[in-house]
Amino acid sequence: MYILITGAAGFVGQILAKRLLDDNSHKLLLADVIEPPIPKDAKFPDNAKTIKADLCVSPENVVDEQLEAAFLFHGIMSSGSETNFDLGMCVNFDATRNLLEVLRKKTPGIRVIYSSSQAVYGSPLPDVVDDSTKITPLSSYGAEKLMCEILITEFTRRNFINGFVLRFPTISVRPGKPTAAASSWLSGMVREPFNDLESVIPIEDKSFKSWLCSPRTLVSNLVHSLTIPSSLPLHKRQINMPGISTTINDMLSALSKIGGPSKLALVTLKNEPEFHPILYSWPQAFDISPALALGFSRDTSFEQAVADYKHSLLTEPLADNRALSILSSARAGKYGVVGACCYNTEGILATIGAAESKSSPAMILLFPWAMHYASTHLVRFAADACRSAKVPVTLHMDHAQDPAIIRQAADTGCFDSIMVDMSHHEKEENLRLTTELVEYCHARGVATEAEPGRIEGGEDGVQDTGDLEGLLTSREEARRFVDTGISWLAPSFGNVHGKYGPRGIRLDFELLEELGREVGEGVQLVLHGTDGFTEEIYGRCIRAGISKININGVMNKELARVQKELVGKMPLSRVIEESTTAMQKVVEGLMDQFGSTGKAG
C-alpha cells in the first residue's frame, strides 16, 4: 500500500513509519515542515521517500495521485495552541482543510486516518465517556481538533474520501524531550527518572486519573486502522481509541517496580494551577466496546508501558548490531537462520563456506569452552572470519553460564551476541542475574539471548542440566524475561539438548505459538535442541515464529566420520579439508530446509 504520513518527523509518525517499513508491501511518502528522517532501523528503508512542505502554503506538494491511504499527524500541541491562537488555527485547522481539498481532487476515495484527541471533550463529563457524550472542548487545541473531525466526516459523507477519526488517549511513555503538550508530564514522570533527571508533576492529587495508551499498542492500532471496514456510517466515523484509566499513584508504583524505588526520589508533585483547567477537562475513562468490536487492542497495565520504555533504553546501543538485523529479517521473511555450534576452525570455515555458497545469513556459535581452552585466540579467529565473509555472518557465545565469562566475552569486542544462560538457577535468581547481565552486554552493543525455562539435557561444551527438572516456559515467564531487555528468547516447549532418547520428539507447538504472540515483534524466538529433527519439524517451528535454529551434532558428527574413515590413509591436511567440505555440505542442506538460501542480500 502507498501511504502518506504528515507530521512524519514527530514521534508517532516515526514509530508508525518504522512499523510499516518493516513490511516490504508498503511504500511511504513522509512529509513534514522539516525534512523527516527515514527510521534508520527499518528493514526496507528504500520503500520511503521524504518531502519538506508547509501544508498551510503548498499541500499539493505532498499528494501523489497513486496514494492509497494517508495518516494525518501534523499539528501543534495543546499548550502551544492555547498560547498562540493564530499558529494553532493555521497548523491544526487550515493545513488540514487545505490538504483535504487536494486529496479529494487528486485521490478521490482515499482512506484518510485523522489523529484526533480526547481534548474534544470538556466538563461536565460523566464517569465514563461514550459515543453519546456531548462534545464541548475547553481548549483551542480541542476546538481545532473538533473542527477537523467535522471536515473529515463531511468529506466522507460526500464520498470525497474514506475517512476515519481516531481519538487518541495520551501516549505514555514517549521517549525524547518534553513537548509543548499539557500532557507532557505523563511521560516525563517516567522518562526523566530513567535518565537520572528530575521530573515535576503539576498536580499533587495522586488519585488524579488519566486515559493512557502505550506507544506499542498505539502503533499496532494504527496499522490495524488500514484494514477496518468501510461499512461504518459515513457521518459517524469517530472512534474513541482504547486506553487504560491510570492514577498518578498507579504510575508512581509502576515506576518504582520497574525502575527501582530510587527513581521516585527524582519525582516531585507540585501544584501548578495554570494547568488545572485543561487537566480537569480531560475524560478519565471511556466506553471502548465499539473500538474493541472493530478489532482494536488495549494495554493490560501501565507497568507494561514502563517496561517497554526501559527496554527501549537498553536496546539503544544495539542500533547497529548485525545479529539483530539478521534475525529481524528472518522473522519478517519467515525463514530460519542456521546457528552452527563450532569447536574448531573446520566448523567455522564450513559454516562461512556454506553461507557464501548459498548466499545465506548464518551465525557461528562458540561455547565458553572456547575461551577456557584457547583464551581469546579461537574467538578472535572466528570474529575475523565472520567479518571477512562475503555475506552476513555473526559470532554468538552460546550457553554462557558464568557471569564472569559473560562480562569477559562482552568486553572482547568480538561477539555480536551472547546467550545469558542462568537457567540452572531457580526462576527468581535466573531473572535477577539475567537482568543484570543483559544491561552489561547491551551497554557494549552486544545482543542477548536468555532461556526462561529449563531445556533438559546437555551437550558438549555446556554444563549438563539433565539432573534438573525440565520446565516448560510459561507466557508469564516469557513476558518477565522480555522485560529484562533481552533480544531473543529460547523457549522450552518440549525440546531437549542432545539426544531425545526413547520418548522421542514431543514438541508443544501450541505453546510455542502462544509464546510468539506474547513476546511480540521486538523479541525473536530461537530454537535449541534440534537433534533428530526432520524438515517438517523445522518448518513447523519456523512457521510458529522461530528465527534462529541451533545445530550441533548433525554437523559435527561429519567431522568425526571423515576423520575415522581417512586418518592414516591420506595426509592430515587433506583429512582437514575433506572434513570441512563434509560439514559444509550438511550446513548447505539445512539452509535450503530453513528457507534462508538466497536471503543474504
Side-chain angles (χ1 to χ4, degrees):
M1 183 176 283
Y2 188 16
I3 303 168
L4 167 67
I5 301 178
T6 68
F11 170 63
V12 175
Q14 285 289 293
I15 61 172
L16 177 61
K18 163 66 169 66
R19 176 67 67 84
L20 294 173
L21 289 172
D22 283 346
D23 182 342
N24 199 26
S25 67
H26 295 307
K27 291 172 55 183
L28 302 187
L29 181 57
L30 306 179
D32 212 320
V33 291
I34 61 172
E35 187 79 25
I38 297 173
K40 64 179 182 180
D41 53 346
K43 293 187 179 69
F44 303 102
D46 293 341
N47 286 1
K49 296 188 296 184
T50 64
I51 186 169
K52 177 181 177 181
D54 184 345
L55 299 180
C56 293
V57 178
S58 52
E60 65 279 358
N61 289 349
V62 306
V63 178
D64 186 313
E65 291 181 353
Q66 302 303 313
L67 285 171
E68 300 169 85
F71 286 95
L72 308 190
F73 296 147
H74 61 272
I76 182 171
M77 297 299 175
S78 50
S79 59
S81 300
E82 201 69 23
T83 301
N84 190 330
F85 176 80
D86 291 329
L87 181 62
M89 285 292 291
C90 176
V91 176
N92 292 339
F93 179 71
D94 295 339
T96 303
R97 181 180 178 184
N98 292 346
L99 179 58
L100 289 174
E101 287 289 349
V102 178
L103 287 172
R104 79 178 179 96
K105 294 172 182 175
K106 295 181 69 173
T107 57
I110 186 174
R111 179 172 288 239
V112 175
I113 296 99
Y114 177 71
S115 61
S116 191
S117 166
Q118 58 187 305
V120 299
Y121 293 101
S123 57
L125 288 169
D127 291 338
V128 178
V129 170
D130 60 23
D131 289 346
S132 67
T133 301
K134 190 174 182 179
I135 296 176
T136 55
L138 285 175
S139 66
S140 294
Y141 180 70
E144 292 149 8
K145 286 293 185 181
L146 177 56
M147 290 188 290
C148 290
E149 287 191 8
I150 295 171
L151 281 178
I152 295 290
T153 53
E154 173 60 5
F155 275 52
T156 300
R157 187 187 69 82
R158 296 295 300 268
N159 291 312
F160 297 154
I161 63 171
N162 182 19
F164 298 88
V165 172
L166 308 184
R167 292 177 182 148
F168 290 1
T170 297
I171 309 306
S172 181
V173 179
R174 287 174 177 258
K177 297 179 180 179
T179 69
S183 59
S184 181
W185 61 273
L186 288 164
S187 287
M189 64 179 290
V190 173
R191 179 184 60 231
E192 270 65 87
F194 265 103
N195 289 280
D196 296 321
L197 300 172
E198 294 183 352
S199 175
V200 176
I201 298 175
I203 185 169
E204 294 179 0
D205 179 7
K206 290 186 178 181
S207 66
F208 178 82
K209 292 181 179 179
S210 299
W211 186 245
L212 305 178
C213 175
S214 71
R216 176 165 52 155
T217 296
L218 173 70
V219 76
S220 294
N221 283 336
L222 288 172
V223 173
H224 178 66
S225 71
L226 292 169
T227 62
I228 56 176
S230 301
S231 57
L232 294 176
L234 297 180
H235 65 298
K236 292 183 179 180
R237 291 298 183 93
Q238 298 89 345
I239 303 169
N240 289 321
M241 296 298 286
I244 52 175
S245 187
T246 309
T247 67
I248 291 175
N249 193 58
D250 293 336
M251 297 176 74
L252 291 172
S253 296
L255 174 63
S256 177
K257 181 175 180 179
I258 303 300
S262 63
K263 300 298 182 187
L264 296 179
L266 294 167
V267 180
T268 301
L269 280 71
K270 180 182 177 182
N271 275 327
E272 296 183 8
E274 65 271 22
F275 285 102
H276 291 187
I278 294 179
L279 300 183
Y280 281 102
S281 73
W282 294 342
Q284 297 182 348
F286 286 81
D287 172 15
I288 57 172
S289 57
L292 297 178
L294 289 170
F296 291 105
S297 59
R298 69 180 301 177
D299 291 297
T300 56
S301 71
F302 187 70
E303 281 183 13
Q304 187 55 56
V306 178
D308 284 350
Y309 180 68
K310 179 181 179 181
H311 184 271
S312 72
L313 293 179
L314 290 173
T315 55
E316 276 183 9
L318 300 175
D320 298 320
N321 186 281
R322 299 183 310 141
L324 289 182
S325 177
I326 286 175
L327 291 198
S328 294
S329 296
R331 179 164 182 169
K334 296 180 173 56
Y335 57 88
V337 174
V338 167
C341 297
C342 299
Y343 298 89
N344 48 33
T345 57
E346 291 93 328
I348 294 166
L349 295 176
T351 303
I352 292 175
E356 292 181 340
S357 173
K358 288 293 183 177
S359 189
S360 168
M363 293 186 176
I364 303 291
L365 276 54
L366 298 180
F367 293 117
W369 167 86
M371 294 182 70
H372 294 308
Y373 169 69
S375 184
T376 61
H377 301 305
L378 186 59
V379 169
R380 295 191 184 282
F381 170 80
D384 181 66
C386 289
R387 290 162 191 172
S388 301
K390 298 174 183 177
V391 294
V393 182
T394 61
L395 183 60
H396 174 80
M397 175 173 276
D398 204 33
H399 287 290
Q401 298 172 317
D402 178 359
I405 202 74
I406 291 171
R407 293 187 179 94
Q408 183 183 351
D411 288 339
T412 63
C414 293
F415 289 97
D416 299 282
S417 54
I418 295 175
M419 182 183 183
V420 178
D421 181 6
M422 299 292 111
S423 61
H424 49 290
H425 292 282
E426 294 302 321
K427 288 184 179 180
E428 291 304 315
E429 183 66 1
N430 181 357
L431 189 68
R432 184 190 70 79
L433 288 170
T434 299
T435 301
E436 175 185 313
L437 293 165
V438 163
E439 291 186 8
Y440 189 90
C441 291
H442 286 193
R444 289 152 180 79
V446 179
T448 50
E449 175 183 329
E451 184 178 300
R454 288 180 182 145
I455 300 175
E456 291 184 87
E459 56 189 322
D460 194 6
V462 186
Q463 176 180 316
D464 190 346
T465 57
D467 58 333
L468 298 174
E469 180 186 2
L471 300 176
L472 299 182
T473 303
S474 68
R475 292 178 61 182
E476 179 185 1
E477 278 183 301
R479 172 49 52 192
R480 293 184 72 189
F481 272 82
V482 168
D483 291 345
T484 68
I486 59 167
S487 313
W488 311 324
L489 185 82
S492 173
F493 61 106
N495 43 330
V496 173
H497 286 132
K499 295 186 179 301
Y500 277 80
R503 74 170 190 175
I505 300 170
R506 299 179 184 178
L507 303 178
D508 188 340
F509 287 105
E510 183 176 339
L511 173 60
L512 179 60
E513 290 171 356
E514 287 180 2
L515 294 175
R517 290 190 292 269
E518 183 65 31
V519 303
E521 297 186 3
V523 173
Q524 314 305 327
L525 296 181
V526 299
L527 177 60
H528 290 237
T530 62
D531 190 65
F533 277 23
T534 63
E535 184 172 357
E536 179 184 0
I537 295 175
Y538 285 132
R540 289 193 66 181
C541 291
I542 292 168
R543 290 192 295 275
I546 291 292
S547 298
K548 174 170 74 77
I549 300 174
N550 290 7
I551 63 166
N552 192 336
V554 67
M555 177 182 76
N556 287 297
K557 70 181 181 182
E558 286 298 292
L559 174 72
R561 179 187 65 79
V562 172
Q563 290 184 345
K564 181 178 180 181
E565 291 178 1
L566 301 183
V567 167
K569 299 178 181 178
M570 59 177 60
L572 183 58
S573 59
R574 179 75 182 278
V575 173
I576 292 172
E577 290 172 357
E578 292 294 329
S579 301
T580 303
T581 299
M583 298 168 79
Q584 178 174 327
K585 287 181 179 178
V586 170
V587 179
E588 288 176 357
L590 291 172
M591 288 172 173
D592 288 339
Q593 291 185 35
F594 298 173
S596 67
T597 296
K599 300 298 196 304

